[in-house]
Amino acid sequence: MVMQNLTNIQIGKETTAGTETSSYVQFCGITQRGDVSPTIQEAELLIANMSGRLASDQALHGESEYGLSVTTRLQTGQPFYWLMGGLSTSGSSPTYTHAISNANTVPSHSIEFVVDEGGSAEFSHKFLGCKLDTLELSLTQGSPVTASMSFMALTHSIDTTPGSPTSRTTVPYEFHQLTTITVNGVSYATDVTNATISMSNGCERNYSLSSRDASAITEGTRDCTVNLEIRGADETLMNLLKNRTDFAISMVINRGTNDTITITISNAKLFAPSYDFGGNAVVDVLPIRVIGNWTVSVVDTLSSYDI
């Protein structure tokens, strides 16, 4: 039996949902699994290997469901745009600012999983009409940020002659800075040791009577939850949060002074906090539900996120 290995994932924005893009780029940097190319520079070895999972379910005489999920180190702010849909870019070379906000619709992409069957033999699983349904970020103080993404797709096919995407290689973002929590106009710098941010589009597939494949993917109710582990939190802050006072959060992840992602949540509420008294300091575990809007600001060297 021939061993099959995922060698690359490539993505490109579609002009019309379900119609293949005319150009692909490498998905979020290095996308090899199991090893890295010997030609990669030393600084790029920090980039995580990517693993991918394909999902396809087609019941006899029923409806088709296609999708794919990917887990990687976060190497670009683009997944926020793919999930949220609103984008305004400003600035000039070498630094650009991408203001990302929630919109009613999100962009549609073509995605290829390229598989190596040994030697030069390659084929790809090609998904068209892909929309990002869920994005989950895992942040640990002092470590690279992990992003897990789940896409819904309209169609799936096998391509025996996959193309070569435009190469992209970037160092992953890391989580180092203090998180700002603002309550009643007063800001508190908090030492968040671990955090999970989960965002969802609530996407649904629409079907017609003439085809087993979905005719469209529509966005549903957008949702965001956050889980923070805070070490040695300010007592005044914790008392305010326990009283269910609404608050705002600002989290920064970076890979340099002028290369940052700032996540701003304007209105949040705490649900059922817990405490870990082990170790040298009390850790407050804060499950948070976002009840207002959230935005993302990315400062980097990419002139456009509309790939």
Side-chain angles (χ1 to χ4, degrees):
M1 182 176 67
V2 177
M3 181 67 71
Q4 296 181 348
N5 296 303
L6 175 67
T7 61
N8 190 37
I9 303 177
Q10 49 204 44
I11 185 170
K13 185 180 178 182
E14 298 171 345
T15 302
T16 302
T19 301
E20 186 176 7
T21 182
S22 59
S23 61
Y24 287 93
V25 298
Q26 197 172 37
F27 186 96
C28 295
I30 297 299
T31 57
Q32 295 170 307
R33 182 173 70 178
D35 62 0
V36 292
S37 168
T39 61
I40 296 175
Q41 299 175 10
E42 182 177 357
E44 296 161 1
L45 296 177
L46 294 173
I47 299 172
N49 297 324
M50 174 179 287
S51 62
R53 179 176 64 83
L54 306 179
S56 177
D57 181 23
Q58 188 174 60
L60 183 63
H61 305 302
E63 298 169 337
S64 302
E65 294 184 356
Y66 303 113
L68 58 151
S69 61
V70 172
T71 299
T72 184
R73 300 280 175 87
L74 185 67
Q75 302 162 57
T76 169
Q78 287 169 305
F80 293 102
Y81 166 52
W82 301 342
L83 183 101
M84 298 167 66
L87 175 66
S88 175
T89 298
S90 60
S92 58
S93 181
T95 303
Y96 299 88
T97 299
H98 310 278
I100 303 171
S101 58
N102 287 306
N104 291 332
T105 59
V106 300
S108 180
H109 292 86
S110 302
I111 300 177
E112 276 195 301
F113 274 60
V114 182
V115 177
D116 177 15
E117 290 191 296
S120 60
E122 284 188 333
F123 70 93
S124 70
H125 291 270
K126 182 178 292 184
F127 295 86
L128 302 183
C130 299
K131 288 191 175 183
L132 184 56
D133 185 34
T134 63
L135 170 64
E136 181 173 290
L137 302 181
S138 297
L139 302 89
T140 299
Q141 191 69 243
S143 299
V145 177
T146 299
S148 297
M149 290 164 268
S150 178
F151 292 84
M152 283 189 182
L154 289 176
T155 64
H156 165 264
S157 61
I158 300 295
D159 189 343
T160 57
T161 56
S164 299
T166 301
S167 178
R168 293 194 301 171
T169 303
T170 51
V171 174
Y173 285 91
E174 295 191 357
F175 180 47
H176 292 286
Q177 299 193 27
L178 295 176
T179 295
T180 301
I181 295 179
T182 303
V183 187
N184 296 335
V186 179
S187 296
Y188 301 84
T190 57
D191 183 10
V192 174
T193 57
N194 293 281
T196 302
I197 304 174
S198 301
M199 304 176 182
S200 171
N201 269 327
C203 288
E204 296 182 351
R205 297 176 177 89
N206 297 335
Y207 294 89
S208 65
L209 295 177
S210 60
S211 175
R212 295 169 63 181
D213 289 344
S215 58
I217 295 173
T218 56
E219 299 80 357
T221 301
R222 189 169 281 125
D223 185 61
C224 179
T225 58
V226 181
N227 195 77
L228 302 180
E229 295 184 12
I230 300 178
R231 179 170 48 200
D234 184 278
E235 184 177 353
T236 301
L237 168 64
M238 291 308 301
N239 285 333
L240 288 169
L241 298 184
K242 291 171 196 174
N243 289 331
R244 304 294 296 275
T245 306
D246 294 349
F247 58 96
I249 305 173
S250 178
M251 303 185 72
V252 178
I253 54 180
N254 58 22
R255 57 182 174 204
T257 304
N258 296 315
D259 201 346
T260 62
I261 296 177
T262 303
I263 302 170
T264 302
I265 296 170
S266 59
N267 200 1
K269 191 177 288 291
L270 180 65
F271 287 85
S274 62
Y275 311 95
D276 179 4
F277 291 93
N280 297 322
V282 176
V283 175
D284 298 281
V285 181
L286 309 183
I288 297 164
R289 184 68 178 268
V290 178
I291 56 177
N293 195 20
W294 70 91
T295 59
V296 178
S297 177
V298 185
V299 177
D300 60 19
T301 59
L302 289 176
S303 60
S304 174
Y305 271 14
D306 256 338
I307 61 171

